[in-house]
Amino acid sequence: MESCIDYTEPTPIVPPQDIQLYMYHGPVEVPITTYVKLKELPQGILNAGLEVLTDDENGPTYPTVVQQARANMRKYESCVLLTRVGGFYELYLDQADEYGPLLNLKVAQKKTTVGPVSMAGFPFFQLDRFLKILVQDLNKFVAISEEFANDAARKVKSGGLMFDRRVSRIVTPGTLVDEKFLDPYANNFLLAVSAERQINKVHQDSTTASGSTEVPGEATQAIGLAWLDLSTGEFYTQSTKVVALPTALIRIGAKEIIISSTMDQQSKEAIEGVFGQDRYLVTRQQHDAVKSITVANWSTMLETPVPASDHAMFTREEILAGDMLLEYAADKLQGQGITLQPPIRKLEIENMGIDRHSMQGLEILETTKDGLSGGKGSLLHAMRRTVTKGGTRLLRDRISSPSTSLTVICERLNLVELFLMQLELREGVLGLLRRTYDSQRLVQKFALGRGDADDLLSLLRTIIAVQNIFQLLHQAMNNSVRTTDKLGSDHSLASIIQRFSLDGPNVLASRIAEAIDEEGLMASHRNEQMESAKIVSMAQEILEKEGTPTDYESMPRALRSKPSPKDPGDQGSEDDDTWVMRRNASPTLEKLHRSLTDLRQKKTRLTVGLRQQAETSSLTLRWTPGLGHVCHVKGTKDVRMSAANLPSARSASSTKSTRSFYVSEWSTLGGQIDQVRFQIQTEEQRVFQTLRAQVVLNIVKIRRNSAVLDELDVACSSAVLAEEQGFVRPKLNDRLSHIIVGGRHPTVKLGLEEQGRSFVSNDCFVGEEQRVWLITGPNMAGKSTFLRQNALISILAQVGSFVPAEHAEIGIVDNIFSRVGSADNLFKDQSTFMVEMLETAAILKNATRRSFVIMDEVGRGTTPEDGIAVGFACLHHLYHTNRCRTLFATHFHVLADMTKDWDNLGCYCTDVEESSNGTFSYIHRLRPGVNRQSHALKVARLAGIPESAIRIAEKTLGSLQGPLPQRMDGSFSPDRAEASLLSTVG
């Protein structure tokens, strides 16, 4: 019977009795002849619903590399698999079809004995580029499969395979370590959320007789948070409630969130509802919570264990979250050791709460326009004068979670004042800080077994800078004691100096300096570039034929030009050795280098002797990958002379003008040189591992010093900012006052100055006597700016920074709440007004007497009557129930009349000044009173509304401001109003 085979590719003609199969063996294809009976091939029509490609032991099989990739794809089915094959990383099968186009890679069809296999790849040096696309842009998990050379036993067991390909790491958005696309100025946090007990869902709030609002059961449920940054080793935990989870999420800024897949359904719905507000990347982790719940489980992953006396501080939910977090991180690192800092337990009362809406509305970390972290226009951008990466991360952390401790804030302000007063000291410290490297991330690389010689040199320079900073600060303190000035009285400088740990790091720095040869390291880098010439040439050929100019430009600049190749016969010359370690880095290394020098001298004498014996001057002693240790001559005459005068030499290869041949003396000597070189490489690796171990032993002290450097950077940055912008030191207290004289908006002021305009400062005395300010005034006259600037001044003060004002006395704020701006959320079916009401509800439920609330235009998204009612209700609740410091801006002027009997409410307004020629200007300075004109038509004219429309609007406004048409019962009649307006403008 004739068989019908439905292949997408034409069926190849094969010999009648057997088929020759090709297996993929390492980085190159090696034909392996296997004989298969024709009758053993599958017969009949292939079922389209079945998998055509099979790796049945009795039938055709994939090439080896594809088999290994398939096995890894099955094991890590949730990941995109990148398989290392020689100088490339490759995608196979359906993943090549799916992700190749997304990565702008050409997808090829590799013909195999079992059918075509899709594949796509890129050069190894572009790994970070494609990881960024997959992990950061597409939020994919990537499993990286590396080549591991098989030893003799494994080769036999695997049937002669040179390499085994195993997944060495799984890269996810939250587990980045040292990738080049890792943001150096922000932490890369991985967060775990645990809610052990079931959350009782309550769909409606209930109100007690006293008028207080009961929070739903789901909101009061205790949950545990644990988060870490694998790139720095920072580790934190916190116990909180579901209602406070949005604030915690915006403060932490996690790149990836883990929850247990076994969490009960109600808990999962409540928590995931919070995640959905900002579309966080959430991973469900299989977590075994049956084991003992104790902090002691974390000890193996910490640089120092948590003291037993502190175990009781951690709640059960925190420990569960920590267990899940560490288990997940260990799984993604695939057996690499983790060394984290001991967990720091965060308490909500220690930091000012800034909810998600306030963080966005006040543009604290990013602007609403472009969404760029630290982008121009954000508070972080306006404040940043830091010169180190770690200092910028610390500044970002402090801005997102200001302190509520008077002691902590005063210590920070003392340090800022110190550097503001001592210009020479500040400039000296900043100059030394610029010489440092990101030691937090450097030591973490060593803790994970990833650091290299370049990282050791960076660490060396940082330790030297720390020594110089210590000496500079110590000298400044001694000078202050002799002059008895304020510098020594507040002890801020002494406390900083006491925190340095120099003994161990100084010894480490000396050993690094004695061991590493910087010139040799640079030469080694040059050789590495030369060794990659073949890969670069292959990549260039592919890009020139099939790629785009963008693909070519994405290659590293140093690798775009083809390096000039060496003479093929001179590859691997022993005289070109470069060593990273100094000759005297260890006694063994020194001895080996002496041996190598002696052997090279023997080589020189042997070369001279053979040249004399062969009567040729072109004879050289070489090593080539294909021939080994050979004598090489070039030139027709020298070829003849060497053959005649060295009859015992065994020929290796020859051309018309060159000849390579073996001489036993050189073969023996070359083998000895190779052995010593290998021993030197082994000893260098041992010395390097010793240095790496010493770094890990000093990791606590290095991290402690790094933390001090970060604080110095932030303090100097704040001092520079204060000097540039004329900021003053705020006075913090436990009262409920907010006294600001000459306050300015820190970012709006900078923007106006760039345009050549000046900023009008304003006073604010909200608090104990007038805890609510009702603010009215025209559009564009600065009401929203005034609200925001006072909230930002409170944040800056509790960050420990000087503030943009002439004078500032601020009572500690526990939470900042803002209802500013307008936006909808159509994805969640929420209108602009609904979003506004949700934000307002959160404020009214959670604001305390210590909170600072700013509300702008509440009620504007509905009818005037409804808007006034909502606005009054909010004012009433804030005044009588929350009793907090409040700035309330509105265009509903009637609210001033409705609240005129409230003793602790003050009315303030901005205004417009009109000239005789019809022009006008805004009066941005606030004054007591109520402005009942919004001057909206002036803004409309400035915006370019056609003049004809403006005239109609003026007539309409005049009609509305006159007597309103009434119904028979005396109430307002919309229909008659419309008819009256039409007759007016008609």
Side-chain angles (χ1 to χ4, degrees):
M1 179 184 296
E2 182 179 357
S3 63
C4 177
I5 303 177
D6 185 17
Y7 284 130
T8 56
E9 293 286 333
T11 305
I13 301 175
V14 299
Q17 296 300 324
D18 54 64
I19 300 173
Q20 187 177 35
L21 302 180
Y22 284 81
M23 306 278 294
Y24 208 91
H25 190 73
V28 296
E29 287 189 353
V30 179
I32 301 177
T33 304
T34 303
Y35 295 95
V36 180
K37 298 294 185 181
L38 182 61
K39 64 181 180 181
E40 295 176 357
L41 290 175
Q43 301 296 316
I45 299 176
L46 296 178
N47 190 334
L50 299 177
E51 186 178 6
V52 178
L53 305 179
T54 177
D55 50 2
D56 187 355
E57 293 181 356
N58 297 323
T61 58
Y62 289 113
T64 304
V65 70
V66 180
Q67 289 186 29
Q68 292 172 334
R70 283 194 76 200
N72 286 328
M73 289 168 65
R74 289 171 177 172
K75 185 175 181 180
Y76 304 96
E77 57 184 11
S78 63
C79 302
V80 179
L81 181 71
L82 298 180
T83 302
R84 181 70 179 260
V85 184
F88 291 83
Y89 283 100
E90 296 187 352
L91 293 158
Y92 293 103
L93 303 169
D94 56 335
Q95 289 191 353
D97 292 325
E98 180 178 359
Y99 296 106
L102 295 177
L103 300 175
N104 200 24
L105 296 174
K106 180 177 178 59
V107 180
Q109 297 293 319
K110 178 180 178 61
K111 294 182 179 180
T112 70
T113 55
V114 289
V117 173
S118 299
M119 59 181 294
F122 54 85
F124 72 94
F125 51 75
Q126 290 186 313
L127 176 62
D128 278 329
R129 173 197 171 196
F130 291 101
L131 275 181
K132 181 184 184 303
I133 297 173
L134 290 169
V135 178
Q136 280 197 337
D137 300 342
L138 300 178
N139 282 334
K140 299 297 180 182
F141 294 0
V142 178
I144 301 177
S145 175
E146 297 287 357
E147 291 179 331
F148 296 89
N150 285 329
D151 55 20
R154 288 184 176 273
K155 284 183 181 179
V156 173
K157 186 176 180 180
S158 62
L161 296 180
M162 295 174 58
F163 296 100
D164 182 21
R165 291 179 175 84
R166 303 190 303 272
V167 171
S168 61
R169 173 138 181 253
I170 300 174
V171 184
T172 73
T175 58
L176 303 179
V177 175
D178 61 350
E179 284 71 20
K180 293 179 181 178
F181 56 86
L182 183 65
D183 186 352
Y185 302 109
N187 284 104
N188 196 82
F189 283 127
L190 173 69
L191 169 68
V193 181
S194 172
E196 185 188 21
R197 295 187 296 275
Q198 179 172 329
I199 294 177
N200 299 316
K201 286 196 71 73
V202 178
H203 297 286
Q204 295 181 348
D205 298 346
S206 58
T207 304
T208 62
S210 63
S212 63
T213 301
E214 294 182 356
V215 183
E218 63 177 8
T220 59
Q221 169 64 38
I223 58 175
L225 306 179
W227 65 99
L228 61 79
D229 184 347
L230 279 178
S231 69
T232 63
E234 296 168 89
F235 181 20
Y236 302 93
T237 70
Q238 179 181 334
S239 178
T240 186
K241 302 185 186 305
V242 173
V243 69
L245 184 56
T247 300
L249 292 178
I250 197 69
R251 171 172 53 83
I252 296 169
K255 297 297 188 293
E256 183 181 355
I257 301 175
I258 313 165
I259 62 173
S260 174
S261 59
T262 59
M263 183 184 296
D264 67 89
Q265 188 61 31
Q266 289 184 333
S267 300
K268 185 183 300 184
E269 290 177 0
I271 292 176
E272 290 185 348
V274 176
F275 295 156
Q277 295 176 10
D278 278 325
R279 303 187 189 181
Y280 291 97
L281 174 64
V282 180
T283 303
R284 292 163 182 80
Q285 168 78 347
Q286 289 286 350
H287 177 59
D288 182 14
V290 178
K291 64 180 182 180
S292 60
I293 307 300
T294 172
V295 176
N297 295 336
W298 305 345
S299 298
T300 57
M301 298 185 183
L302 304 179
E303 62 187 24
T304 56
V306 178
S309 58
D310 294 343
H311 286 193
M313 296 191 311
F314 297 88
T315 66
R316 182 179 178 84
E317 291 78 18
E318 285 178 275
I319 300 174
L320 285 171
D323 284 349
M324 183 164 53
L325 179 73
L326 297 180
E327 181 182 309
Y328 182 85
D331 175 67
K332 301 312 172 192
L333 291 177
Q334 292 289 295
Q336 298 180 40
I338 301 178
T339 304
L340 302 172
Q341 302 175 43
I344 297 176
R345 190 165 187 266
K346 294 281 190 177
L347 300 176
E348 290 182 351
I349 61 172
E350 293 177 345
N351 299 102
M352 175 196 291
I354 307 176
D355 65 9
R356 179 172 62 93
H357 308 297
S358 300
M359 193 75 74
Q360 296 171 349
L362 296 176
E363 298 183 312
I364 293 174
L365 297 179
E366 59 187 34
T367 60
T368 54
K369 181 179 180 180
D370 53 27
L372 294 177
S373 177
K376 189 173 183 179
S378 66
L379 179 64
L380 176 59
H381 180 270
M383 281 194 67
R384 181 183 166 189
R385 300 294 186 276
T386 48
V387 297
T388 68
K389 297 169 183 176
T392 304
R393 292 196 299 269
L394 178 61
L395 177 63
R396 180 189 181 92
D397 177 68
R398 286 185 178 180
I399 290 176
S400 61
S401 56
S403 177
T404 56
S405 168
L406 281 174
T407 302
V408 171
I409 296 171
C410 287
E411 288 177 353
R412 294 175 182 176
L413 290 173
N414 288 342
L415 200 57
V416 175
E417 187 172 18
L418 184 154
F419 287 115
L420 183 61
M421 294 166 51
Q422 299 292 324
L423 175 61
E424 185 177 351
L425 176 62
R426 184 178 78 222
E427 292 299 327
V429 171
L430 286 173
L432 291 170
L433 285 173
R434 290 187 178 95
R435 302 181 191 176
T436 65
Y437 292 80
D438 194 348
S439 51
Q440 284 277 21
R441 284 182 168 167
L442 281 176
V443 295
Q444 186 64 8
K445 289 172 69 174
F446 285 103
L448 293 170
R450 288 170 167 264
D452 55 24
D454 291 293
D455 295 323
L456 284 175
L457 286 179
S458 298
L459 200 55
L460 166 64
R461 297 185 181 108
T462 301
I463 295 173
I464 293 173
V466 170
Q467 296 171 0
N468 294 332
I469 289 174
F470 174 83
Q471 294 170 1
L472 188 62
L473 296 179
H474 198 274
Q475 182 181 359
M477 187 180 68
N478 291 338
N479 292 338
S480 69
V481 172
R482 285 195 297 270
T483 58
T484 65
D485 82 20
K486 187 180 177 182
L487 191 62
S489 63
D490 59 17
H491 303 292
S492 58
L493 195 56
S495 63
I496 283 289
I497 292 174
Q498 291 172 359
R499 291 171 56 192
F500 279 112
S501 298
L502 299 179
D503 294 341
N506 286 351
V507 174
L508 172 63
S510 298
R511 291 179 178 174
I512 294 174
E514 293 168 358
I516 295 183
D517 183 353
E518 293 192 44
E519 292 183 1
L521 182 59
M522 294 175 62
S524 175
H525 290 328
R526 289 193 294 268
N527 288 344
E528 288 173 359
Q529 291 184 359
M530 295 299 294
E531 290 172 2
S532 63
K534 181 178 179 180
I535 300 298
V536 175
S537 299
M538 292 173 59
Q540 286 178 328
E541 290 175 4
I542 295 173
L543 292 175
E544 289 171 0
K545 293 179 180 178
E546 303 176 359
T548 64
T550 303
D551 296 326
Y552 183 78
E553 290 297 324
S554 69
M555 294 177 63
R557 188 181 302 274
L559 299 178
R560 288 181 198 165
S561 58
K562 298 180 181 179
S564 55
K566 294 182 179 180
D567 183 347
D570 199 29
Q571 295 179 7
S573 174
E574 295 86 350
D575 297 331
D576 293 337
D577 288 333
T578 56
W579 308 107
V580 174
M581 299 296 170
R582 297 183 186 274
R583 295 168 63 99
N584 59 352
S586 74
T588 302
L589 203 55
E590 193 170 11
K591 181 179 178 181
L592 288 171
H593 274 289
R594 283 199 301 267
S595 299
L596 183 60
T597 300
D598 293 341
L599 291 173
R600 284 177 172 166
Q601 290 174 353
K602 291 181 180 180
K603 175 185 175 183
T604 302
R605 291 194 295 269
L606 179 60
T607 302
V608 173
L610 289 175
R611 284 177 177 176
Q612 293 175 351
Q613 186 176 350
E615 298 180 2
T616 62
S617 60
S618 66
L619 185 144
T620 57
L621 303 183
R622 297 181 175 183
W623 176 89
T624 65
L627 302 177
H629 294 92
V630 295
C631 298
H632 183 79
V633 294
K634 59 183 177 180
T636 306
K637 179 181 177 182
D638 286 353
V639 168
R640 291 197 306 268
M641 294 296 293
S642 65
N645 295 332
L646 297 173
S648 61
R650 182 165 55 90
S651 180
S653 68
S654 62
T655 64
K656 292 182 179 180
S657 59
T658 64
R659 177 177 179 237
S660 296
F661 52 91
Y662 296 107
V663 174
S664 59
E665 292 90 340
W666 171 229
S667 297
T668 302
L669 181 60
Q672 293 173 347
I673 292 176
D674 283 348
Q675 183 178 5
V676 175
R677 291 172 63 236
F678 176 76
Q679 290 173 342
I680 291 175
Q681 292 172 356
T682 303
E683 178 63 12
E684 280 202 346
Q685 187 64 23
R686 189 198 66 79
V687 172
F688 177 76
Q689 293 297 341
T690 301
L691 292 174
R692 174 182 284 174
Q694 290 174 349
V695 171
V696 176
L697 287 176
N698 285 278
I699 194 170
V700 176
K701 294 180 178 179
I702 295 173
R703 281 174 169 165
R704 188 179 302 158
N705 293 340
S706 177
V708 177
L709 294 184
D710 294 345
E711 291 186 27
L712 289 172
D713 190 17
V714 172
C716 289
S717 168
S718 298
V720 171
L721 178 66
E723 187 175 65
E724 287 179 359
Q725 302 296 324
F727 287 10
V728 299
R729 175 170 179 158
K731 297 179 180 179
L732 280 298
N733 54 56
D734 285 325
R735 296 164 56 191
L736 299 177
S737 59
H738 181 87
I739 302 172
I740 305 296
V741 177
R744 308 181 294 275
H745 194 295
T747 61
V748 173
K749 178 179 178 293
L750 294 177
L752 289 176
E753 288 176 346
E754 288 184 358
Q755 303 172 30
R757 301 163 60 191
S758 60
F759 185 90
V760 177
S761 60
N762 266 303
D763 303 338
C764 183
F765 306 107
V766 67
E768 295 170 342
E769 293 186 5
Q770 293 182 336
R771 62 174 177 268
V772 177
W773 274 27
L774 181 63
I775 304 168
T776 55
N779 297 106
M780 295 287 293
K783 299 190 302 297
S784 297
T785 300
F786 177 76
L787 266 60
R788 288 176 167 92
Q789 79 184 34
N790 282 282
L792 292 176
I793 287 173
S794 294
I795 291 172
L796 288 177
Q798 292 184 217
V799 163
S801 167
F802 283 28
V803 299
E806 296 175 9
H807 175 79
E809 293 183 31
I810 300 173
I812 291 293
V813 175
D814 64 354
N815 284 280
I816 290 283
F817 292 104
S818 70
R819 159 80 284 286
V820 294
S822 62
D824 54 28
N825 191 342
L826 300 181
F827 179 78
K828 297 182 71 69
D829 194 26
Q830 295 173 353
S831 66
T832 302
F833 185 70
M834 183 61 179
V835 171
E836 178 183 313
M837 289 298 98
L838 288 171
E839 296 176 6
T840 302
I843 294 172
L844 300 184
K845 289 179 181 179
N846 299 307
T848 69
R849 291 195 69 191
R850 285 212 166 271
S851 300
F852 192 93
V853 174
I854 62 172
M855 303 192 78
D856 190 17
E857 310 294 352
V858 174
R860 64 182 167 184
T862 184
T863 64
E865 294 84 355
D866 287 346
I868 292 171
V870 169
F872 178 78
C874 292
L875 264 177
H876 188 279
H877 197 282
L878 290 168
Y879 184 89
H880 292 284
T881 304
N882 303 107
R883 303 179 65 83
C884 55
R885 287 161 283 185
T886 303
L887 300 179
F888 194 100
T890 183
H891 284 291
F892 297 141
H893 317 120
V894 70
L895 293 179
D897 301 326
M898 299 170 71
T899 58
K900 63 182 179 180
D901 296 328
W902 294 5
D903 295 334
N904 298 117
L905 181 144
C907 293
Y908 295 84
C909 65
T910 56
D911 213 335
V912 164
E913 184 178 50
E914 298 185 79
S915 62
S916 57
N917 61 3
T919 61
F920 70 96
S921 60
Y922 290 109
I923 306 299
H924 296 288
R925 193 175 301 281
L926 264 69
R927 62 174 176 82
V930 179
N931 190 329
R932 300 182 182 274
Q933 297 294 325
S934 292
H935 299 280
L937 299 187
K938 292 182 173 63
V939 177
R941 181 174 277 111
L942 287 175
I945 298 294
E947 194 60 32
S948 58
I950 294 293
R951 287 194 296 270
I952 292 176
E954 290 174 340
K955 292 180 181 180
T956 304
L957 180 62
S959 176
L960 290 173
Q961 289 176 340
L964 295 179
Q966 305 289 317
R967 289 194 181 98
M968 293 298 295
D969 58 2
S971 63
F972 174 72
S973 172
D975 295 335
R976 294 184 181 182
E978 180 180 4
S980 176
L981 290 175
L982 289 176
S983 64
T984 300
V985 302

